[in-house]
């Protein structure tokens, strides 16, 4: 992720409410130290109504470049709504940036890793192509340490009564599936489509069974 954090500060150099006049500093981390990449004054004009506040927030968002993390003393109302809608991670802290920048970055990086793990550990969903034909990929399960197994991914599909053909993209035929084929419960055709990619085509031994 980008090591960039926007911080709204007041005259004392400490964070202040986004609704209060201040400066928005764009901190960037290079190696082990933070430096200010850019700064701009920001004073939300709440007296001119909702449309003007949204316009100001749109201008602010456009100035934040690749940044998606913002810290202020408090963030509420229109600023919170516009930042959330733009996909920002919103933090509220009191103090000087040096007190919390590393902490916020650590937590953001942890969240990215957790999201990646959650995405990986989901069981693959078979694609239904019609006429009893399905397609599914178990490559991620075989290649990554997800805690899931190819059997967990395939057995619910194999137990269905309405399939005729299943195309399985994998990097090798699972031993348990090979045993099922040898037991005569289905027919399997194997085709190597590219280095590390194998297409298994499974047919029911008795159609419509």
């Amino acid at each position: 992720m980008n090591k960039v954090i926007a911080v709204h500060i007041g005259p004392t150099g400490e964070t202040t409410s986004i609704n209060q006049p201040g400066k928005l500093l764009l901190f960037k981390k290079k190696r082990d130290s933070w430096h200010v990449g850019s700064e701009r004054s920001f004073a939300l004009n709440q007296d001119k109504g909702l449309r003007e506040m949204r316009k100001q927030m749109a201008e602010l968002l456009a100035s934040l470049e690749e940044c998606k993390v913002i810290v202020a003393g408090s963030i509420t109302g229109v600023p919170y709504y516009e930042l959330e809608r733009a996909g920002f991670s919103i933090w509220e802290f009191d103090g000087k940036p040096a007190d919390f920048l590393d902490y916020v970055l650590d937590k953001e990086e942890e969240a990215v890793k957790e999201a990646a793990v959650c995405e990986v550990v989901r069981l693959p969903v078979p694609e239904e192509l019609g006429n009893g034909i399905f397609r599914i990929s178990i490559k991620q399960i075989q290649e990554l340490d997800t805690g899931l197994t190819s059997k967990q991914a395939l057995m619910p599909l194999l137990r269905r009564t309405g399939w005729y053909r299943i195309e399985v993209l994998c990097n090798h035929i699972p031993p348990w599936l090979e045993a099922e084929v040898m037991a005569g419960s289905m027919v399997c055709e194997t085709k190597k489509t590219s280095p590390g990619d194998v297409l298994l085509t499974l047919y029911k031994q008795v159609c419509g069974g």
Side-chain angles (χ1 to χ4, degrees):
M1 63 170 288
N2 294 323
K3 297 183 178 182
V4 184
I5 299 175
V7 183
H8 187 62
I9 64 169
T12 64
E14 297 188 348
T15 55
T16 188
S17 168
I18 197 77
N19 294 320
Q20 296 297 319
K23 284 184 179 180
L24 199 76
L25 307 182
L26 203 62
F27 286 91
K28 299 184 178 183
K29 189 171 188 179
K30 289 187 177 179
R31 295 177 183 170
D32 294 325
S33 61
W34 292 92
H35 72 279
V36 178
S38 64
E39 66 176 74
R40 60 166 288 171
S41 297
F42 182 72
L44 189 66
N45 195 335
Q46 302 177 68
D47 296 332
K48 291 193 174 181
L50 184 60
R51 180 175 295 181
E52 179 62 25
M53 285 192 287
R54 284 180 171 168
K55 180 182 176 183
Q56 282 188 276
M57 288 303 300
E59 293 171 352
L60 178 66
L61 291 170
S63 73
L64 292 179
E65 304 169 9
E66 74 272 34
C67 180
K68 283 293 182 180
V69 182
I70 188 167
V71 185
S74 69
I75 303 176
T76 59
V78 172
Y80 185 94
Y81 174 78
E82 295 297 328
L83 288 163
E84 186 180 52
R85 189 171 69 162
F88 271 73
S89 183
I90 300 167
W91 291 79
E92 294 182 336
F93 270 101
D94 292 324
K96 295 184 177 180
D99 299 334
F100 54 73
L101 284 173
D102 282 328
Y103 175 83
V104 171
L105 180 62
D106 287 345
K107 291 299 181 182
E108 287 292 322
E109 290 180 336
E110 284 178 16
V112 169
K113 290 177 183 176
E114 288 174 4
V117 169
C118 288
E119 186 65 29
V120 166
V121 298
R122 291 177 185 165
L123 282 169
V125 177
E127 178 185 2
E128 187 167 0
L129 305 178
N131 298 321
I133 302 171
F134 294 83
R135 180 182 297 147
I136 189 170
S137 173
I138 58 170
K139 279 179 62 65
Q140 277 195 326
I141 287 177
Q142 292 182 322
E143 294 170 356
L144 302 175
D145 184 17
T146 64
L148 298 175
T149 66
S150 59
K151 196 167 188 176
Q152 288 174 307
L154 292 177
M155 281 307 291
L157 184 54
L158 294 174
R159 285 176 181 148
R160 289 189 186 184
T161 58
W163 70 271
Y164 160 67
R165 187 176 82 214
I166 300 174
E167 298 172 359
V168 182
L169 182 63
C170 55
N171 58 23
H172 65 272
I173 181 169
W176 68 268
L177 184 57
E178 197 166 14
E180 291 277 340
V181 172
M182 291 179 67
S185 60
M186 68 190 80
V187 177
C188 178
E189 293 179 359
T190 304
K191 180 181 178 182
K192 189 160 187 164
T193 56
S194 63
D197 285 346
V198 176
L199 177 64
L200 304 179
T201 304
L202 305 173
Y203 297 91
K204 278 198 173 180
Q205 189 69 274
V206 179
C207 293

